[in-house]
Amino acid sequence: MRHAIALSALGLGTTSPNPPVGCVILDQHGAVVGAGFHRRKGEPHAEAHALNAAGGAARGGTAVVTLEPCNHVGVTPACRQELINAGVSRVVIAVMDPTSRGEGGASILAAAGVEVENGVLRDEALTVLEPWLTATQRRRPYLTWAFAADSRHRTAAEKRLLRDLCATADLVIADNTLHEGIPGGHADAHFALPGAAEIDGGLSRWQSAAHEVGVRSMLVVGHEHAAALRPHLHAVDEIVIAVPRTDPSRALDVVQPDLMPIGFRLVEVAADAESVRLQLRRLGA
């Protein structure tokens, strides 16, 4: 499953409005014979890529997938049917899909005699799937706000944040401009930019419009957006703060109490030679 989770992350920034999913196929003896991930809507899903790589070795084997195989025919065939047709005997799932049509892919697989196990490494799979799930459930993109704490070196620090984080998001707002996190990464037929970067004039309305055109995750970079975002932290899911390595005498100037807003928890601390990066996530997310 960790192999499948790692594969699923390769679809971050390009799959929306579809979820980033990874799949690994094991043969009857437990050997890996196929693997794949979903790249973008309109292209084969993770299961199809993995089954194609496995070929006949999938029969009687196990499919390990990060999200419940889909149960509907859309741009591509239903994944649960492709697994049944391939003759797999067991499907292991990390996260159940809240958007499943009808009974759900897992139920159809079980009804066809396939052994199904779910909830395997669910929390680990959510490190990739959580933004998509949050966006799906709340009908707005998962919003990450990244900024530098120190005004003296803010421009350089925020450029590094933009460089390091942009590829994980569908949409990026930086320097009051809006662009895809990975330029040209999404399928044009299923994704569009939602107009100008107007988060200062009604964040919730703007997020709803972005969701309608396929955006499931967005990154806002810059301390200058504090006036627009701090009053609406209920619509912010993650905060990333770059704190510079500095002289101890300046610590009070740089690390202010409001860097840790109420309603968020610290989930990760990363460090490099120039700064410490704090990652906070909204409670309940």
Side-chain angles (χ1 to χ4, degrees):
M1 182 61 79
R2 289 194 178 102
H3 185 174
I5 293 168
L7 288 169
S8 73
L10 298 177
L12 285 172
T14 64
T15 64
S16 291
N18 282 359
V21 179
C23 179
V24 174
I25 305 295
L26 310 176
D27 68 12
Q28 297 182 50
H29 309 290
V32 174
V33 291
F37 66 96
H38 184 45
R39 187 182 301 275
R40 60 178 63 86
K41 186 174 176 65
E43 296 184 9
H45 288 190
E47 295 92 330
H49 280 302
L51 288 169
N52 184 60
R59 185 161 299 278
T62 298
V64 181
V65 61
T66 58
L67 185 68
E68 180 185 15
C70 64
N71 189 38
H72 58 280
V73 178
V75 179
T76 59
C79 292
R80 50 86 175 161
Q81 192 59 48
E82 296 205 37
L83 292 166
I84 292 168
N85 293 345
V88 300
S89 62
R90 183 168 176 254
V91 175
V92 178
I93 302 166
V95 178
M96 299 301 283
D97 185 354
T99 69
S100 278
R101 313 278 176 89
E103 297 177 88
S107 295
I108 300 298
L109 286 164
V114 178
E115 180 186 350
V116 177
E117 182 179 358
N118 64 64
V120 176
L121 299 187
R122 180 181 184 276
D123 289 346
E124 294 184 36
L126 286 175
T127 59
V128 178
L129 280 166
E130 186 170 5
W132 179 83
L133 284 168
T134 298
T136 298
Q137 291 162 354
R138 297 179 181 163
R139 308 295 297 174
R140 63 162 180 80
Y142 186 96
L143 194 159
T144 299
W145 177 29
F147 63 91
D150 182 21
S151 60
R152 296 199 304 178
H153 305 96
R154 182 163 287 154
T155 299
E158 290 182 347
K159 282 184 178 179
R160 288 195 297 273
L161 286 170
L162 176 60
R163 178 198 66 201
D164 294 345
L165 301 176
C166 67
T168 65
D170 295 326
L171 185 69
V172 176
I173 296 175
D175 299 323
N176 292 316
T177 63
L178 182 153
H179 57 86
E180 277 183 276
I182 299 176
H186 297 86
D188 290 340
H190 307 287
F191 181 91
L193 297 179
E198 297 173 349
I199 61 172
D200 294 345
L203 178 61
S204 295
R205 221 170 29 250
W206 193 87
Q207 283 182 297
S208 295
H211 187 276
E212 286 298 312
V213 293
V215 178
R216 297 297 179 265
S217 61
M218 59 184 292
L219 170 68
V220 177
V221 179
H223 191 273
E224 70 267 24
H225 298 291
L229 296 180
R230 284 201 181 279
H232 303 286
L233 288 180
H234 63 279
V236 177
D237 299 287
E238 206 164 290
I239 301 174
V240 180
I241 309 167
V243 179
R245 293 185 182 272
T246 188
D247 186 285
S249 65
R250 289 199 61 239
L252 187 60
D253 298 329
V254 174
V255 183
Q256 296 292 331
D258 67 350
L259 291 183
M260 303 290 185
I262 294 172
F264 287 77
R265 70 188 189 280
L266 183 64
V267 295
E268 186 175 341
V269 176
D272 58 30
E274 297 170 320
S275 65
V276 173
R277 193 172 292 180
L278 310 176
Q279 181 181 355
L280 299 96
R281 192 166 294 147
R282 190 161 45 80
L283 293 170

